[in-house]
Amino acid sequence: MKRELILNAVVLGVGMHPAAWRARRDPAFSSLGLPFYEALGRTADAACLHALFLADTLAVGEENFERPNLGAVDPLMALAAIAGVTSHLGLVATASTTYNEPFNLARRVATLDHLSGGRAGWNVVTTFVPDVAANFGDAPLPAPADRYARAEEFVDVVRALWRSWSPAALIGDKLAGRYVERGEVRPVEHRGAHFQVRGPATLPPSPQGEPVLFQAGASDAGRALAARTADVVFTAQNTLAGAQAFRADIRERARAIGRDPDSVKVLPGLLAVLGGTEAEARARKAALDALAGDAELRKLALRVGVPVDALELDRPLPFDLIRANGAFKGSEGFRRAAVELGLNERLTVREILYRNGGGHLQVVGTPEQVASTMESWFRQQACDGFNLMIDVLPEGLADFCDQVLPGLRTRGLFRSEPNGTTLRSNLNA
């Protein structure tokens, strides 16, 4: 099939920019209601985006009540509501392997898959925010190696549960009174280092067989998990060279274990700040930044693991201080993306803030400039598409769909109709 961009819209609170809640037209707490999510789903579905991707957080520490929590609602519940007002849009829920149990999560995601007619996906993450641990008991956050060891086993158990029903199990013969062929439903009988799960699952396969797996790790352990299990890899990349190297690495790892590299799609995050002219886009960015105060600076400090007072706007990042932080427990992907951008292009902190959209590639400009950047990365094998990190929701999503997608279609890079009825068929996964 013709290679085209995969585009998913990411829902992080009410927008990726820290000032989104102040800039949006709707009331401050309207995002807690069903109409907010239904409107996003309808917009993405009508635009033929591949999926709506909901982030998740399990603590309030990162946002500190200064703006809406980036994952306040349960993604699976919100996506189940969106399923009822959409027809072909994929529905991707983030859920942690650190603070869930495989059987319960496998059942919840499979339920969404059935309710949506085969459009569900699970974004596999390990929890790296220390504050979360206290919400689940007295034990501290596990070390990264332990988190990924648990994640590897967790994913294997979930997939075994999803595969515990053979398609041949479904009989449904009312006249003969045969509902299910019991011999085609088998327990998983898993006994591992972290989990003991008998199975089988309570649900048969969905129309797409099983939900699509997304994964967002950037460390060596995260990349290994992605190459072995993921259909789609979400990554934070700020430079073309960094994105090319990451995609090539994931594809080579997949090839080395016998997977078709083309079956693993790599999607960097992209934050577009749009204007009718470049000057208008810069003015929009400046207005948002003014409303946010020093929130983006503090977020950058958190992402690279240094005190905020160590960042001087008109000087480079303090690379020595960043490297010296051996106790860093945050996201390796976000830290690496910011550091590579600063090093490779010799940028000041102020310039990094302008380019680094919350850890992702940020393009401030016209729809044509955004489309050109997307085409350049796609043509040069840096990605298979993008996860769209919208600055302000819901209006920013509508603007992107109305202003950028037509240019991508003119370039032959994005579809006008869905490829199928399930998320897996639409991704060609």
Side-chain angles (χ1 to χ4, degrees), residues 159 213 223-233 250-265 424 429:
R159 294 169 87 189
L213 286 186
R223 295 182 190 212
L225 177 62
R228 187 173 72 84
T229 66
D231 301 300
V232 183
V233 184
I250 292 293
R251 289 172 61 82
E252 182 52 40
R253 288 171 186 256
R255 182 183 289 108
I257 58 175
R259 293 187 69 190
D260 177 1
D262 289 337
S263 70
V264 186
K265 316 298 184 184
R424 192 170 293 281

Side-chain angles (χ1 to χ4, degrees), residues 348-361:
T348 65
V349 169
R350 189 189 304 276
E351 291 167 329
I352 290 172
L353 290 172
Y354 194 80
R355 297 271 301 278
N356 179 61
H360 299 281
L361 173 67

Side-chain angles (χ1 to χ4, degrees), residues 101-113 158 161-162 201-203:
E101 289 293 322
F103 186 87
N104 282 348
L105 186 60
R107 180 171 178 257
R108 290 166 64 208
V109 178
T111 298
L112 176 63
D113 209 20
V158 167
L161 287 164
W162 286 340
T202 61
L203 288 166

